[in-house]
């Protein structure tokens, strides 16, 4: 199955730019209830993902940084504690599942590394559950006689 089936297009995804500030990221995350947001540069290319944890660690490791000063710190200055790897639009399901095990969403890029959207882990789980459930219910049914 092609991963495009699961794609939430970039028009429907909240993103930030590397030159946005920590304060803008915190406000956007709070407003939308997200813990991570993809970064997209001015050329539309995927530039990583910023997480709440990245922002918290930046605050912890910058003793002089106060919340009121977060408008002065750009996201490209915030170290990322882990890479949130993207997949290409022509990736296969196995590639997607490997990344979704450790990421809430998987960014999707085209052949030019341009960000085209995300695939949410919850959508992948829901799809897989739907594929497994009918077989599991049927196989465990008391009425299953092995014929069919």
């Amino acid at each position: 199955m092609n991963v495009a089936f699961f794609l939430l297009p970039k028009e429907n995804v909240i993103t930030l730019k590397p030159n946005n500030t920590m304060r803008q990221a915190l406000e956007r995350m709070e407003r939308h209830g997200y813990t991570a947001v993809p970064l997209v540069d001015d050329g539309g290319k995927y530039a990583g993902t910023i997480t709440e944890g990245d922002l918290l660690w930046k605050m912890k490791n910058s003793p002089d940084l106060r919340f009121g000063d977060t408008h002065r710190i750009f996201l490209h200055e915030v170290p990322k504690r882990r890479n949130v790897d993207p997949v290409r639009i022509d990736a296969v399901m196995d590639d997607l599942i490997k990344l979704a095990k450790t990421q809430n969403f998987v960014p999707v890029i085209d052949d030019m590394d341009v960000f085209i959207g995300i695939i949410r882990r919850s959508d992948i789980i829901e799809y897989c559950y739907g594929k497994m459930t009918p077989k599991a219910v049927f196989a465990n049914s008391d009425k299953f006689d092995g014929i069919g």
Side-chain angles (χ1 to χ4, degrees):
M1 165 166 276
N2 189 301
V3 301
F5 174 78
F6 300 101
L7 185 70
L8 181 63
K10 67 182 174 185
E11 295 80 22
N12 300 331
V13 177
I14 301 302
T15 62
L16 291 163
K17 295 181 181 267
N19 61 352
N20 283 128
T21 66
M22 284 181 66
R23 184 174 196 120
Q24 290 170 317
L26 289 164
E27 289 172 352
R28 191 158 301 167
M29 287 176 174
E30 179 182 32
R31 184 175 333 118
H32 296 284
Y34 296 147
T35 60
V37 176
L39 299 176
V40 178
D41 70 16
D42 290 332
K45 294 188 178 199
Y46 175 67
T49 292
I50 193 77
T51 68
E52 285 179 333
D54 296 333
L55 300 171
L56 289 170
W57 283 107
K58 175 66 174 172
M59 296 280 298
K60 180 197 176 286
N61 294 325
S62 305
D64 297 332
L65 179 60
R66 306 259 183 254
F67 181 77
D69 298 325
T70 56
H71 68 282
R72 295 186 181 134
I73 307 296
F74 297 102
L75 296 179
H76 63 80
E77 300 174 62
V78 177
K80 313 298 180 290
R81 295 190 50 87
R82 60 185 296 260
N83 289 329
V84 176
D85 295 321
V87 294
R88 295 205 181 278
I89 190 63
D90 60 354
V92 295
M93 192 66 164
D94 286 351
D95 299 330
L96 189 59
I97 290 173
K98 286 176 192 170
L99 292 174
K101 288 188 318 186
T102 60
Q103 300 174 186
N104 288 337
F105 63 84
V106 178
V108 182
I109 57 176
D110 68 10
D111 292 340
M112 304 291 285
D113 295 333
V114 173
F115 178 78
I116 57 175
I118 64 169
I119 298 173
R120 296 175 290 211
R121 178 169 48 194
S122 60
D123 292 339
I124 298 166
I125 291 170
E126 186 175 310
Y127 172 80
C128 291
Y129 180 75
K131 286 291 195 187
M132 292 174 17
T133 302
K135 294 176 189 169
V137 169
F138 186 69
N140 294 326
S141 171
D142 291 337
K143 296 180 179 154
F144 179 67
D145 62 5
I147 301 172

